[in-house]
Amino acid sequence: MKLTNLRVWNLVEPVGYAMNAPVFSWTVEEAQGEQAFARTTVRVNGETAYDSGEERAADSLGWKIRLPLLPRTRYDYTLTVQSTSGERATADSFFETGKRDETWTAKWISPRQSRSCAQLRKRFTVSACTESARLYMCGLGVYEVWLNGEKVGDEYLAPGYHAYDFHLAAQTYDVTGRLREGENELIIALGEGWFKGRLGFEGGYTDLYGDRLYAIAELYGDGVLLTATDESWEELHSPVTFANIYDGETWDARIAPDLLGNAEETEPEHCGVLQDRVSLPVRAFDRFSVKELMETPKGDTILDFGQNMTGWVEFRSRLPEGTSLTLTAGEILQDGEFYHDNYRTAKTEFTYISDGQERMVRPHFTFFGFRYMKVSCTCPVNADDFTAVHLRSAMPGTTVFACGNPLVNRLYENALWGMKDNLLEVPTDCPQRDERLGWTGDAQAISDTACQSLYMPAFYRKYLWDMRAEQSILGGSVPNVVPRIKRDMIGEHGSCPWADAGVIIPFNTWRYYGNTELLRETYPGMKDWVDCQRRREEAIGGPHLVKDGFHFADWLALDNPQPGPFGATDPLYIASAYYYRCAQIVAESANLLGFAEAGEYRDLAAEILAAIREKYFGADGLCQIRTQTAAALAIVFGLTKKVQEQGDVLYELVAGNNSHLNTGFVGTPILCPALSSTGHHDMAVTLLLQEDFPSWLYSVRLGATTIWERWNSVLPDGHMNPEGMNSLNHYTYGSIAGWMLSWLCGVRPALPGYRKAILEPRPDRRLGHAEAKLDTAAGRFVCGWRFEGDTVHYHVEIPFGAVAELRLPGQRVQELSPGKYDF
């Protein structure tokens, strides 16, 4: 028996994160039976600060303890778990607080000379070696910090992208062993980032949160303040002369870090309170060598890394002094030539000008979405000098899937890459063009699949934190993008199903991870969105339906005979369906949390459902809107009592479309689940296996390594769709991966956090075999099947402390305890 995945607030060994009280979680491996009790002892400097005793009610999905937390304090803890079989395991871990509500001695400072990129320096003396050292700081827009010539920490683009007008995030760095006796040097390098660099369409906006750069920092050794930012800090010439999220970066290594003068003490205006971080760090993950070095007919030199990704390219420079090398990002080639038009106004270039010294070179204050890089340089290019580095927020993958069809396996990988690439700080729509914003509709559409594929609760906690902040000035309405650019169309709010992310995402997070404390934290925002909708629709009068407003609805569906991005399904039907589902979720959440208002929202949901059935359903109980999306919504959201008959209608709609889908952002994530759950799993697999347009494998056949924004972002001849809006790295249609896990392999949570799971594998001879391995909040589940002649073999595994309801075709339902089984 052993304990793994020890976490506090869904983080492994967190340092400097915002929390009012610790919430522990863990998993158990290599054990039999169930948990009998758990015990946690917490120590500070070796002294016991808390001892839970043997707690039978301790929940491994989320166990909150009552421990007042001090600022800048390390808490070591020991977790002991005993099983009902008598086995026992113990594991140690720790968490550490940041500044919390402690007053900062440091002052905010800002460079006087530069508004785009700058360096701030402090030289200070340390009289003796320290056993422990911590740096607490924040830089605006984005920053990297260097202590005695070495980069501090392993994260990039700190402090990240959040709603700066509501809160500013401070990071904590362990710099133990990095200080030396005598003189030390601390340098903070700053770039524009999201804080003041341009964001938005058609040129976007600059200085959204401030028109200058800022930094604040305190460095402690053995608990004693060694240095803090103030007006004595120096401003230096920065070798990075330009940096922008959309346009890239220019690094002139010939520029010496000469002194420009002293920094100015000045605070950011119109910004929120500085507090401990909530967001995950952005880190480097996969690395790719050049797959092919090519020269195009026009003479351009192109590096192909073989995978569309988010990040940057680093290289070893051996260039003569004064020689420049420029990398320009691209996702696709056209007629063998470099193509960049789908990036719109984003230049996405990294230029390095050599000082003649050999060194490794990378960007500091930007990132790109790319598979290809065009190299512009007067010197020969050696492919071995270049490496592509994938960046994302630090979320581990949790799932492995494989089947007998290599195209489907590639599709699953594409979906996974689409999520990883668009989960950098916020759940973005795309990582490459002049957008990269936290679109709420895209985020809610993929949230079910994301929670099955990656460890998402800490990432969503930060996103929902920002969302609630934005809701606070919108009467509970949820913006189209979070953080909200408070101008023009991208500043709008309350559109279905974008705004419904405020309820769907936290509910999916609770459903897949079972952390009640996280649900409690997010519940106010969930309730506020439903209340906002109720006020709006009641002001118009009539039944509880959404009756007006702009709604993206089934965005980019293919079923509308009219040109444009809007689907044919009535947007008010979709909006009312989501209104019902959100009210239903809030009622369920209130009941779980013990709030008396649960009955109020249960009644509201019932009234909405009755109104939907009255307006949109016929006497036969079926939806009168004859689209795939409308039928799938009726099934998955429980709008109809005639579920099987509605499933038959959906089957007919798909079959009548030559067994192809025509759904958009609403219909696609629920289409195959609606078919599989109503006895039409064969048709769902048929949709999965279609290879011509429109289908998932259409893009795979054309060489895609991520998910596209449109079903036909690339035409069969390899050219980009002339309609525009063609990102080759979106994730919404990658929701099919969730169906592969939950219906094809059949692993679904019956209780939150998979404490009880449904294992309902659906074998299909066309695939030969399929298996999913899910590292859930409760532990690892495995469910797979394979054909051997006329026999189907099943293999399932259930982790410690969980049970599963096994549903095999044609067999009685079995309840299985932890263990490994073959059938």
Side-chain angles (χ1 to χ4, degrees):
M1 181 180 186
K2 64 180 181 179
L3 306 181
T4 59
N5 299 317
L6 273 66
R7 293 184 171 102
V8 180
W9 269 109
N10 305 115
L11 298 159
V12 176
E13 299 180 350
V15 175
Y17 283 81
M19 63 179 80
N20 291 324
V23 178
F24 298 103
S25 59
W26 63 91
T27 54
V28 178
E29 297 179 5
E30 301 175 12
Q32 299 296 317
E34 300 177 354
Q35 180 177 292
F37 66 80
R39 179 176 183 174
T40 295
T41 55
V42 183
R43 300 173 303 282
V44 177
N45 296 325
E47 298 293 328
T48 300
Y50 177 88
D51 187 341
S52 70
E54 296 179 354
E55 179 59 64
R56 296 186 178 277
D59 188 351
S60 65
L61 303 180
W63 181 21
K64 182 177 181 178
I65 67 169
R66 305 295 178 183
L67 174 65
L69 300 178
L70 301 172
R72 296 189 292 110
T73 302
R74 173 177 168 130
Y75 294 87
D76 295 287
Y77 70 92
T78 298
L79 174 69
T80 300
V81 175
Q82 181 162 310
S83 72
T84 52
S85 63
E87 297 174 278
R88 179 180 291 217
T90 298
D92 295 318
S93 188
F94 74 91
F95 65 96
E96 185 175 319
T97 56
K99 290 282 290 182
R100 292 182 58 76
D101 55 1
E102 181 182 63
T103 300
W104 285 73
T105 301
K107 305 297 183 184
W108 281 102
I109 59 174
S110 177
R112 298 175 188 269
Q113 305 296 324
S114 176
R115 290 293 187 268
S116 177
C117 301
Q119 288 191 359
L120 300 172
R121 179 180 68 187
K122 180 67 175 180
R123 288 173 172 158
F124 60 98
T125 300
V126 175
S127 59
C129 291
T130 59
E131 293 184 5
S132 175
R134 297 291 186 272
L135 175 65
Y136 305 91
M137 72 163 297
C138 178
L140 302 170
V142 292
Y143 73 91
E144 290 187 7
V145 60
W146 301 75
L147 178 58
N148 294 327
E150 295 184 20
K151 182 182 180 303
V152 172
D154 61 354
E155 66 178 287
Y156 302 96
L157 302 170
Y161 183 24
H162 47 274
Y164 306 102
D165 46 346
F166 291 100
H167 64 113
L168 300 175
Q171 286 72 48
T172 301
Y173 299 101
D174 184 348
V175 292
T176 301
R178 303 283 291 276
L179 294 169
R180 58 196 180 204
E181 287 189 48
E183 187 174 80
N184 292 259
E185 182 182 66
L186 192 62
I187 292 179
I188 300 170
L190 296 165
E192 294 182 355
W194 299 272
F195 180 79
K196 72 178 298 294
R198 76 179 180 103
L199 289 176
F201 305 141
E202 299 177 354
Y205 304 96
T206 58
D207 300 339
L208 283 169
Y209 298 96
D211 62 357
R212 60 192 301 172
L213 307 171
Y214 299 90
I216 188 170
E218 292 180 357
L219 177 62
Y220 289 81
D222 295 334
V224 177
L225 182 65
L226 301 177
T227 188
T229 48
D230 58 23
E231 60 186 2
S232 69
W233 279 57
E234 299 169 327
E235 179 183 355
L236 308 178
H237 273 291
S238 172
V240 178
T241 60
F242 170 81
N244 181 287
I245 293 294
Y246 291 164
D247 297 320
E249 181 173 317
T250 300
W251 176 5
D252 189 343
R254 299 170 300 175
I255 297 177
D258 295 331
L259 180 64
L260 289 172
N262 281 19
E264 178 182 357
E265 280 190 18
T266 181
E267 294 190 9
E269 297 180 350
H270 314 299
C271 288
V273 175
L274 182 63
Q275 61 186 48
D276 293 338
R277 73 187 303 166
V278 182
S279 61
L280 293 169
V282 172
R283 292 193 174 123
F285 286 85
D286 306 84
R287 304 172 71 87
F288 295 83
S289 300
V290 175
K291 182 179 181 181
E292 183 179 1
L293 171 65
M294 62 186 77
E295 184 172 323
T296 73
K298 290 182 179 179
D300 290 333
T301 299
I302 307 294
L303 305 175
D304 177 7
F305 292 97
Q307 174 63 52
N308 204 5
M309 73 187 86
T310 299
W312 55 46
V313 170
E314 63 182 29
F315 61 92
R316 179 166 294 282
S317 172
R318 302 179 179 87
L319 300 173
E321 183 178 359
T323 303
S324 67
L325 184 149
T326 297
L327 298 171
T328 306
E331 290 190 294
I332 192 172
L333 305 180
Q334 299 281 262
D335 300 320
E337 299 289 351
F338 183 76
Y339 182 84
H340 193 261
D341 289 354
N342 66 316
Y343 284 56
R344 301 192 299 218
T345 67
K347 291 174 63 178
T348 60
E349 292 181 350
F350 174 55
T351 296
Y352 174 72
I353 305 170
S354 175
D355 61 351
Q357 300 296 311
E358 181 175 334
R359 63 165 58 89
M360 290 302 298
V361 175
R362 63 163 175 86
H364 300 79
F365 307 124
T366 192
F367 65 93
F368 309 105
F370 68 98
R371 170 175 172 169
Y372 302 93
M373 283 286 180
K374 181 175 72 172
V375 186
S376 302
C377 186
T378 57
C379 293
V381 174
N382 182 353
D384 293 337
D385 288 337
F386 296 84
T387 302
V389 180
H390 164 58
L391 300 177
R392 73 169 186 270
S393 292
M395 296 161 297
T398 57
T399 301
V400 176
F401 168 85
C403 73
N405 186 311
L407 293 179
V408 173
N409 290 337
R410 181 67 246 191
L411 172 63
Y412 181 83
E413 290 299 313
N414 290 1
L416 188 60
W417 270 106
M419 288 182 282
K420 292 192 296 185
D421 287 338
N422 282 291
L423 295 174
L424 189 155
E425 272 302 310
V426 298
T428 57
D429 57 313
C430 60
Q432 77 294 90
R433 66 189 181 207
D434 54 355
E435 203 162 344
R436 315 189 202 182
L437 302 173
W439 286 98
T440 47
D442 306 54
Q444 75 87 13
I446 200 64
S447 61
D448 184 279
T449 300
C451 286
Q452 296 177 73
S453 308
L454 299 160
Y455 190 75
M456 296 297 297
F459 181 88
Y460 280 148
R461 184 187 182 213
K462 177 265 178 186
Y463 186 58
L464 295 166
W465 184 300
D466 281 335
M467 189 181 293
R468 292 194 303 279
E470 301 288 6
Q471 286 180 266
S472 70
I473 59 172
L474 296 173
S477 186
V478 177
N480 292 343
V481 300
V482 171
R484 183 167 70 107
I485 298 178
K486 299 170 176 66
R487 304 183 190 181
D488 294 341
M489 182 273 287
I490 46 180
E492 293 173 358
H493 53 90
S495 174
C496 170
W498 271 231
D500 301 291
V503 176
I504 302 296
I505 293 176
F507 184 75
N508 277 339
T509 306
W510 172 73
R511 180 180 171 224
Y512 284 102
Y513 303 103
N515 189 327
T516 304
E517 292 304 319
L518 185 55
L519 182 67
R520 188 183 307 277
E521 183 176 278
T522 56
Y523 175 79
M526 301 164 67
K527 176 177 177 291
D528 284 351
W529 168 232
V530 172
D531 288 347
C532 174
Q533 291 189 92
R534 178 162 53 179
R535 287 193 302 270
R536 283 165 50 178
E537 57 92 355
E538 286 182 346
I540 299 174
H544 283 298
L545 293 170
V546 177
K547 311 174 192 70
D548 66 353
F550 169 78
H551 302 285
F552 289 99
D554 201 22
W555 186 249
L556 294 183
L558 301 172
D559 55 359
N560 195 336
Q562 302 300 318
F566 297 97
T569 308
D570 185 343
L572 296 181
Y573 163 74
I574 294 175
S576 295
Y578 272 91
Y579 181 24
Y580 162 67
R581 182 64 183 132
C582 288
Q584 189 183 51
I585 287 173
V586 168
E588 183 176 343
S589 301
N591 182 65
L592 176 75
L593 297 170
F595 298 149
E597 64 221 35
E600 172 190 346
Y601 290 97
R602 193 179 303 114
D603 292 344
L604 173 63
E607 292 170 10
I608 298 169
L609 179 58
I612 290 173
R613 288 174 173 171
E614 175 68 23
K615 182 173 178 62
Y616 296 107
F617 286 72
D620 58 0
L622 302 177
C623 184
Q624 294 179 306
I625 302 172
R626 299 280 296 183
T627 66
Q628 294 178 12
T629 292
L633 266 178
I635 295 165
V636 174
F637 281 16
L639 306 180
T640 178
K641 295 179 180 179
K642 301 293 185 66
V643 176
Q644 185 57 56
E645 292 87 340
Q646 191 72 67
D648 296 340
V649 170
L650 177 59
Y651 174 86
E652 293 167 3
L653 290 168
V654 174
N657 194 44
N658 195 28
S659 297
H660 283 69
L661 53 78
N662 56 21
T663 49
F665 276 34
V666 170
T668 300
I670 60 175
L671 179 59
C672 286
L675 288 167
S676 292
S677 65
T678 55
H680 301 293
H681 184 72
D682 286 355
M683 179 59 82
V685 177
T686 296
L687 288 177
L688 172 70
L689 296 177
Q690 297 287 17
E691 297 181 11
D692 58 334
F693 170 78
S695 69
W696 284 282
L697 296 185
Y698 168 79
S699 64
V700 178
R701 277 291 190 191
L702 287 178
T705 61
T706 44
I707 299 296
W708 296 347
E709 181 174 15
R710 293 178 178 269
W711 290 111
N712 60 343
S713 284
V714 180
L715 303 179
D717 63 4
H719 288 87
M720 296 292 280
N721 188 327
E723 295 181 43
M725 200 166 66
N726 290 308
S727 160
L728 301 187
N729 203 345
H730 262 57
Y731 51 32
T732 301
Y733 294 154
S735 53
I736 187 63
W739 171 85
M740 295 183 203
L741 302 174
S742 58
W743 288 99
L744 192 62
C745 293
V747 185
R748 304 191 295 278
L751 292 176
Y754 292 90
R755 184 68 76 212
K756 180 178 181 180
I758 293 171
L759 302 182
E760 190 176 7
R762 300 289 188 93
D764 189 293
R765 190 176 293 275
R766 289 171 289 180
L767 289 167
H769 65 87
E771 183 178 71
K773 300 176 182 178
L774 280 73
D775 289 323
T776 73
R780 170 166 283 198
F781 283 89
V782 178
C783 191
W785 49 264
R786 72 182 189 277
F787 279 88
E788 291 185 6
D790 293 329
T791 303
V792 183
H793 295 261
Y794 299 91
H795 176 74
V796 300
E797 298 178 18
I798 298 135
F800 172 87
V803 295
E805 191 176 278
L806 181 66
R807 304 175 182 176
L808 298 182
Q811 305 291 317
R812 64 178 180 83
V813 174
Q814 302 180 59
E815 185 161 296
L816 303 180
S817 57
K820 300 179 180 181
Y821 302 86
D822 290 283
F823 299 91

